[in-house]
Amino acid sequence: MNVLLNEKRLTIINLVIVSYFVALYLVNLFTIDFVLVGVFRELLTIPFLIGQIVFLLFDILFLIKQKRIRVFTLFSVVLLITSTFITIGSFFLSTL
């Protein structure tokens, strides 16, 4: 795992996942209704949701193994944790 996922790659992957869900929120907020946006939303939401959970586990294992952690990496992990709670929580709040 150390060879394939280093600190820089994990940070970039975290920020891409968080950026996708922020963009998805903004599309819904501003009610942007283009066909191409809808196609990408349908194609990418489930893989990004699964990736969000998987990389959150990788991040936790990575933080446990590392002796020194950069601030930017820790910031990206906190953003991913926040995004995960909001995303998973939205499933339960939408049913109320």
Side-chain angles (χ1 to χ4, degrees):
M1 186 172 95
N2 280 341
V3 177
L4 294 176
L5 293 175
N6 58 11
E7 191 171 5
K8 184 178 179 181
R9 287 184 185 166
L10 277 176
T11 303
I12 291 171
I13 291 170
N14 290 347
L15 294 178
V16 167
I17 292 172
V18 170
S19 299
Y20 174 76
F21 284 108
V22 167
L24 195 66
Y25 171 74
L26 292 175
V27 164
N28 287 331
L29 180 69
F30 295 121
T31 59
I32 299 171
D33 194 24
F34 295 121
V35 174
L36 193 60
V37 172
V39 168
F40 281 117
R41 181 175 56 203
E42 292 294 326
L43 285 175
L44 296 176
T45 299
I46 292 176
F48 270 95
L49 183 64
I50 293 169
Q52 189 176 31
I53 295 167
V54 169
F55 281 103
L56 185 61
L57 295 174
F58 282 159
D59 286 333
I60 291 170
L61 292 175
F62 183 79
L63 290 177
I64 290 171
K65 288 176 91 176
Q66 289 298 326
K67 294 177 184 162
R68 81 176 165 81
I69 302 166
R70 294 185 182 148
V71 175
F72 197 65
T73 304
L74 190 61
F75 179 69
S76 72
V77 172
V78 169
L79 281 177
L80 188 65
I81 290 170
T82 306
S83 175
T84 304
F85 281 132
I86 291 171
T87 305
I88 302 296
S90 70
F91 294 134
F92 300 109
L93 290 178
S94 64
T95 59
L96 293 178

